[in-house]
Amino acid sequence: MRAAIAEARKAMGRTHPNPAVGAVVAQNGAIVATGRTQPAGHDHAEVVALKAYQSSGLVPDESTRLYVTMEPCSTTGRTPPCTEAVIASGIRHVLIGTTDPNPTHAGRGYQILEDAGLVVETGLLEADCEDLNLIFNWKMAHGRPFFAGKIATTIDGRIATRGGSSRWITGEAARADVHAWRNYFPAIAVGAGTALIDDPSLTIRIPGQEEGCPVRFIFDRNLISFRNAIPQVYTDQWLEKTIIVTNASKETEAETLREKYGIAFWTLDDTAPGDPLAGFVERCGDAGIDGVFIEGGARLLSSFIQTRRLDYLFAYRAPKVLADESGLGPFMGQAPAEMKEALSLKCVRHASFGDDQLMRGFVVYPDC
């Protein structure tokens, strides 16, 4: 199953809106075929692995096992049901990591396989298999896009010096992991301040792969990022991937800038009573953007917390100390009187990247 998980990780970010799934066929205790989900409309992991197994010339026997990170699909979409392919393969023993959260499939695949006489074992490395599809699982459970924040701090919780210098808090290995997560999310978001101060490219740079670019949201309600030297994301080769999120009151100015730069704008009414991010969430859903990786700054992240829209947090920490009370922190706007009123994380996972650490998990709001 760990080999199947490794296959699924290779597919992360390349299968939206489908989940990333890995599959492995083992015989006589050895892995003899592997597969991972192909882009939407193409073969699922099980089919890829079974085709590889069949082409090997091997014949299923009592030792043959199929390992799959998620329950095989059982309905016809752009591809036939994987349950049919599994049954037709002649393999009689299937081990599955996690149940498909899609209510159309959930548990149905197990029943179909068992009714066909196959031995089905479930829950193998379940938590690790669930972790492969944070966006898909969230969308199935909540019916809306998944919003994850990313911070990189010193030991004393600062994201920059008092003068705004933040390059670099973490080392190369931790920053490489950030790019791996950028590769997974369909979109990235930053505030106008981050775009102006850091002038990030917000692209995906992974060694051995061609540079890529997700949808890039710049939150700029007052269009301050156009006043002086404009950020590179407004003029680079991926301009069509950049969207400025601004207030509806700026529609006329936005139209002028749209014509001048050829850039897209989402004008939203963030002054209406209630949730100022509701319009953004709805627009993301309408555009098929099921996951957004929010990389800063503090005001943008805090606005997602204030509206309880931040669903997940990636918190990188470096072994550095500023020891300056005027250093910049990653969040603001909350005033808990007791620890029980603090936000917390659940389903926490840890990783180390050189000397840096990562803690990540689902955000739990007080009284939730």
Side-chain angles (χ1 to χ4, degrees):
M1 185 59 80
R2 294 195 186 282
I5 290 171
E7 283 296 311
R9 287 196 178 115
K10 296 174 186 177
M12 289 175 66
R14 303 175 184 276
T15 65
H16 296 305
N18 294 334
V21 178
V24 161
V25 179
Q27 191 159 303
N28 295 320
I31 293 173
V32 294
T34 63
R36 57 182 178 272
T37 308
Q38 300 302 296
H42 298 276
D43 287 343
H44 293 184
E46 302 92 314
V47 173
V48 175
L50 292 173
K51 284 181 177 179
Y53 176 68
Q54 290 159 5
S55 67
S56 72
L58 294 170
V59 177
D61 59 27
E62 287 298 316
S63 74
T64 312
R65 302 287 187 271
L66 172 64
Y67 294 81
V68 189
T69 58
M70 183 181 285
E71 174 187 4
C73 66
S74 53
T75 59
T76 300
R78 282 185 280 186
T79 59
C82 288
T83 49
E84 291 184 358
V86 174
I87 294 168
S89 73
I91 297 173
R92 313 309 293 169
H93 198 145
V94 182
L95 298 96
I96 300 168
T98 185
T99 300
D100 188 337
N102 185 338
T104 302
H105 298 154
R108 189 168 180 265
Y110 300 152
Q111 192 63 54
I112 290 173
L113 295 178
E114 289 175 344
D115 289 347
L118 277 68
V119 175
V120 178
E121 295 184 47
T122 63
L124 187 61
L125 298 182
E126 184 173 17
D128 290 340
C129 291
E130 287 182 349
D131 188 59
L132 294 165
N133 290 290
L134 295 173
I135 295 172
F136 179 80
N137 295 346
W138 184 271
K139 180 68 179 296
M140 288 296 120
H142 300 275
R144 67 166 179 82
F146 179 68
F147 299 101
K150 186 273 293 184
I151 59 172
T153 67
T154 59
I155 289 176
D156 51 342
R158 304 301 179 180
I159 61 172
T161 65
R162 64 171 62 194
S165 174
S166 62
R167 292 188 174 181
W168 295 103
I169 292 177
T170 54
E172 290 185 6
R175 299 200 300 274
D177 188 62
V178 171
H179 281 271
W181 285 108
R182 280 187 185 181
N183 187 56
Y184 174 61
F185 280 82
I188 297 175
V190 297
T194 298
L196 286 170
I197 295 171
D198 294 343
D199 194 20
S201 66
L202 301 179
T203 57
I204 301 162
R205 299 181 297 281
I206 298 175
Q209 296 184 20
E210 186 177 351
E211 186 173 2
C213 187
V215 173
R216 304 178 295 189
F217 289 112
I218 311 297
F219 279 74
D220 188 359
R221 70 187 311 272
N222 294 311
L223 299 179
I224 62 172
S225 57
F226 289 92
R227 292 178 182 172
N228 296 302
I230 64 173
Q232 61 176 309
V233 294
Y234 296 177
T235 58
D236 66 13
Q237 62 180 307
W238 290 286
L239 174 63
E240 74 281 358
K241 294 289 191 76
T242 302
I243 300 173
I244 313 301
V245 182
T246 191
N247 188 265
S249 64
K250 297 292 183 179
E251 177 61 49
T252 300
E253 187 176 350
E255 181 59 33
T256 300
L257 293 169
R258 185 183 294 115
E259 293 178 359
K260 180 177 180 179
Y261 292 101
I263 199 166
F265 286 81
W266 284 6
T267 53
L268 306 172
D269 185 2
D270 62 4
T271 61
D275 182 355
L277 289 171
F280 176 70
V281 175
E282 183 178 356
R283 287 288 296 269
C284 284
D286 292 343
I289 298 171
D290 290 336
V292 181
F293 195 43
I294 306 161
E295 294 204 25
R299 291 188 182 278
L300 181 60
L301 284 166
S302 297
S303 70
F304 273 83
I305 288 176
Q306 185 66 33
T307 56
R308 299 197 169 195
R309 290 292 190 183
L310 191 69
D311 305 314
Y312 200 87
L313 181 64
F314 293 80
Y316 296 85
R317 185 174 68 168
K320 297 177 182 178
V321 178
L322 293 186
D324 181 357
E325 62 183 11
S326 295
L328 303 181
F331 307 112
M332 61 186 73
Q334 304 297 301
E338 301 177 18
M339 279 297 170
K340 66 181 181 181
E341 298 173 359
L343 281 72
S344 60
L345 301 183
K346 67 178 181 179
C347 302
V348 176
R349 302 181 76 86
H350 301 268
S352 295
F353 302 94
D355 292 333
D356 302 322
Q357 298 174 335
L358 168 64
M359 177 188 297
R360 61 182 176 92
F362 292 92
V363 178
V364 179
Y365 293 92
D367 300 323
C368 286

